[in-house]
Amino acid sequence: MAAGHEIDELDLNIIRILQQDARRPFQEIARDLSVSGGTVHVRYNKLRELGIIKGSRIIVDMQMLGFEVCAFVGINLHNARDYNIVVQKLKDFDEIIEVHSTTGAYNFFIKVVAKNTRGLHNFLTDRLQEMPEIQSTETFISLDLPVDREIPIDKNQIIGYA
Amino acid sequence: MAAGHEIDELDLNIIRILQQDARRPFQEIARDLSVSGGTVHVRYNKLRELGIIKGSRIIVDMQMLGFEVCAFVGINLHNARDYNIVVQKLKDFDEIIEVHSTTGAYNFFIKVVAKNTRGLHNFLTDRLQEMPEIQSTETFISLDLPVDREIPIDKNQIIGYA
DNA sequence: GCTGAAACAGTCTCCCC
DNA sequence: GGGGAGACTGTTTCAGC
């Protein structure tokens, strides 16, 4: 990390709090951490500029929004050099919310949401498997998500951490 | 959905905006959507009470926080009825940020972060594969994440949506 | 169910230490 | 680099429609 941008325990505490609740007022955070609101603000801006904090999102209930099904799909290409073409095409499918390029048995690993199993089936057969670059796919439907949490930052495993 | 709690286009627009930036002031949202700040506030409270909005998180740069490696691990159990025991044990590993129970070739599919490949290797061999309930694992290291986005809610696929 | 106003609280900047 | 003051802005409640 660039000189003069070391991350300290205060930064980590701010991140830790905002990982639980991104809308938490800086003043409240300041009180919890026994610093002034201005300090929290300055640190937050620094973390955003450094790119450590990339943004924020509300967490929505997928099922209540009508997406009953979540699945992972392993994708094999005929030709690994179609990488960029395939990424571009995958981006155009709204159902796909993550595309990972992976080592191991698949070229890509994608996370997909669908309204129901029929929607997933249509997506897989009519759209994904129609792509000429794709050789084969394997689907894993997520039936339950017993653990879903943020990356732990308590461990001081920080680059540039003093 | 319970009567009297229909979700309308205004609710969806509020969700859509907050999915991009959870810290966006309600007043700004109100101006964008040509309603009063009070209305946005009431709608937000309703969506939280209904559980459609479950919370919010900042998005942090995993790599800058010292987690260089992200991987998916498919897990097979000797005995599917060890489900609960295994979930409990997996919860205790800080490296594991998602545990999915899946159909297909694996009983579980987990998402793991680690400091580096050595950390991942230690986790897999010394800790995960030491669990007696686990028969086998298969690891897919995520080398790149070209797509990472929120579930689309533009499509009116909402339960109870008028 | 929404608006607009009013009281309260938080943001954000800046100057001083 | 942090604290505190101050102007600005947002939050939250509520009477009135």
Side-chain angles (χ1 to χ4, degrees), chain B residues 45-104:
Chain B
N45 286 344
K46 182 189 72 174
L47 291 166
R48 287 236 48 168
E49 272 160 35
L50 286 173
I52 292 176
I53 295 176
K54 297 201 278 191
S56 60
R57 299 170 171 171
I58 51 169
I59 306 160
V60 299
D61 188 299
M62 231 182 58
Q63 257 126 55
M64 291 190 90
L65 285 173
F67 294 92
E68 297 280 339
V69 177
C70 172
F72 293 94
V73 182
I75 296 176
N76 272 299
L77 304 182
H78 289 290
N79 219 310
R81 86 176 86 86
D82 288 331
Y83 180 87
N84 287 315
I85 289 174
V86 173
V87 167
Q88 277 316 116
K89 289 188 181 182
L90 294 177
K91 262 192 187 137
D92 288 339
F93 296 126
D94 288 341
E95 291 91 342
I96 299 179
I97 56 173
E98 289 179 31
V99 174
H100 296 262
S101 168
T102 52
T103 67

Side-chain angles (χ1 to χ4, degrees), chain A residues 1-8 11-12 52 156-162, chain B residues 63-66 68 115:
Chain A
M1 193 169 297
H5 287 303
E6 237 86 296
I7 302 303
D8 69 9
D11 295 312
L12 295 182
I52 291 176
N156 301 347
Q157 295 167 314
I158 311 302
I159 297 174
Y161 182 77
Chain B
Q63 257 126 55
M64 291 190 90
L65 285 173
E68 297 280 339
K115 203 172 171 177

